[in-house]
Amino acid sequence: MSRTLSRQDPGAFKTLPLFVEASADGLRYQSQGRPLNFSEMLERRRVIEVSDSQRFAVELANLGVSVRLTLSWQGREYWILVRQRRLDRGDVVLKLISGYVPAHELNLPLLTAIQEVAEECLLETPEGWLSGRFGETWLPSPYQGALRYRETLHFQLSPLSGAARPVQCGNLTLLERPRAYVHLPTASLQLVYDLRLALPKEARQLSLFHVDERLEDGKLVARLDRTRPDLYLIPLQQGRPTAELLTLKKGVLKAASTRGLWLAESFAPQDGWLVRDERIRWKDWLSQQSLCAAPAKPSAKPRSPTASAPLKLNAAQLG
């Protein structure tokens, strides 16, 4: 049974449409027009066409952020992905932690990104939930009233290497150098931050859970469902992804089925500054990465055998 963690008024969210200029050397965005509420923003997220993938000027519906989060745990590294049913696109995918950037954070999208980590990626130990820090900045504990956070332990976020081409908000260069792409099917600009999540050595029997908000009776409701953690790991070898998909519960890794699996557009091919696809099949992404589709057994504890944890993504769900 799921547990309600928070309820919020979606009317409090405001963002701004963008004007984006791109060249072979970099990309610049700035706000234009009046603030939009959530419904107005979704109305603008419609397919657009751009003829030149390297050089263009275009009006877009919104700015979004994603975090390619690398978990460092027990001497290995893993990418963290979350399962989401995307109502605006009619599909179910695994995606990076992501969110919409509100109007007051357009010039500081990194702040939105680390807040999304705190809201979407929950780390539980037997003694309580872990809060986090980015450098000297404490991440919010968004569910403080519903969950018991540990006072003496926290995880640490830190930036990894940035993209080669700079991104600017007006005349301000984003120092963390996120990867940027314009997503043509949704007329949006997406910034992808590359961050590492390091756990304290004292964090034992770790479990990972994803919490996402849904619109219910006019409210944005965040729920925790322990029967569907909805958070998955792709192991890395020397910084490169492998063909495995795992879950982590009480310190034990288990293999997850990839049958019928789709990944979000951030995994799809990028042409210059453009991404044209809504999503990409898992098997097509493996081929794109030159990875073998046959998964190896996860490195779980010896006393805990690998078990199947199907993702249950089928053609009917994907429309």
Side-chain angles (χ1 to χ4, degrees):
M1 184 175 179
S2 63
R3 178 181 179 184
T4 300
L5 301 183
S6 69
R7 293 179 183 270
Q8 299 183 48
D9 180 6
F13 175 83
K14 298 289 183 181
T15 191
L16 284 161
L18 304 178
F19 179 69
V20 173
E21 297 176 283
S23 70
D25 299 322
L27 181 144
R28 182 196 308 267
Y29 71 90
Q30 61 187 37
S31 63
Q32 74 169 20
R34 65 174 181 84
L36 305 174
N37 62 32
F38 193 73
S39 297
E40 292 172 325
M41 178 196 69
L42 291 182
E43 279 294 316
R44 290 179 176 235
R45 285 167 60 87
R46 297 179 179 178
V47 179
I48 60 170
E49 296 292 335
V50 175
S51 58
D52 188 334
S53 65
Q54 295 285 6
R55 186 178 298 274
F56 54 84
V58 66
E59 297 179 5
L60 299 177
N62 72 284
L63 176 65
V65 290
S66 297
V67 179
R68 193 174 74 173
L69 190 58
T70 300
L71 171 67
S72 179
W73 182 68
Q74 292 190 348
R76 293 198 64 185
E77 293 187 333
Y78 307 83
W79 282 349
I80 295 180
L81 281 69
V82 299
R83 178 187 182 274
Q84 185 181 51
R85 180 182 295 276
R86 303 187 298 187
L87 297 179
D88 61 331
R89 303 189 214 179
D91 62 11
V92 180
V93 296
L94 289 191
K95 68 179 188 70
L96 303 178
I97 293 169
S98 59
Y100 302 111
V101 179
H104 63 279
E105 292 177 0
L106 282 185
N107 64 344
L108 192 59
L110 175 64
L111 180 58
T112 305
I114 63 176
Q115 289 174 340
E116 290 295 330
V117 173
E119 292 175 2
E120 291 196 30
C121 180
L122 299 188
L123 291 77
E124 185 184 31
T125 69
E127 296 79 22
W129 301 82
L130 298 181
S131 56
R133 293 178 66 173
F134 180 86
E136 298 303 316
T137 301
W138 283 100
L139 274 64
S141 300
Y143 313 116
Q144 187 75 54
L147 303 177
R148 180 171 59 88
Y149 287 85
R150 297 184 66 169
E151 296 182 359
T152 57
L153 288 183
H154 64 273
F155 63 83
Q156 187 75 40
L157 289 182
S158 58
L160 293 170
S161 59
R165 295 192 289 184
V167 176
Q168 291 181 284
C169 176
N171 294 321
L172 175 67
T173 299
L174 303 183
L175 298 179
E176 300 79 15
R177 301 181 76 91
R179 168 195 163 204
Y181 64 87
V182 171
H183 189 226
L184 297 182
T186 58
S188 61
L189 174 62
Q190 197 75 17
L191 304 179
V192 183
Y193 287 92
D194 209 4
L195 304 180
R196 171 180 281 118
L197 189 157
L199 293 166
K201 294 181 180 179
E202 298 84 355
R204 311 287 183 184
Q205 298 183 27
L206 185 69
S207 297
L208 304 179
F209 294 92
H210 170 55
V211 171
D212 199 12
E213 293 178 325
R214 295 184 181 182
L215 191 61
E216 299 179 7
D217 298 326
K219 295 291 184 181
L220 284 174
V221 181
R223 286 198 173 96
L224 171 65
D225 187 347
R226 290 184 174 277
T227 65
R228 302 192 64 159
D230 283 349
L231 203 152
Y232 297 84
L233 302 175
I234 295 179
L236 306 180
Q237 289 183 354
Q238 298 180 342
R240 282 184 46 79
T242 66
E244 298 178 75
L245 188 67
L246 310 173
T247 60
L248 179 60
K249 183 176 181 181
K250 295 184 178 179
V252 177
L253 291 168
K254 295 183 179 181
S257 171
T258 58
R259 181 169 56 89
L261 178 62
W262 292 79
L263 300 174
E265 78 280 346
S266 59
F267 292 88
Q270 180 169 342
D271 175 20
W273 295 106
L274 305 180
V275 171
R276 296 181 172 86
D277 298 322
E278 287 273 13
R279 55 189 188 248
I280 183 172
R281 291 182 186 274
W282 170 264
K283 62 180 182 181
D284 293 337
W285 178 73
L286 294 183
S287 177
Q288 174 186 303
Q289 299 294 316
S290 301
L291 298 175
C292 177
K297 292 183 179 181
S299 55
K301 293 181 180 180
R303 65 176 181 274
S304 302
T306 299
S308 177
L311 194 55
K312 297 182 180 178
L313 301 182
N314 54 45
Q317 288 175 303
L318 293 169

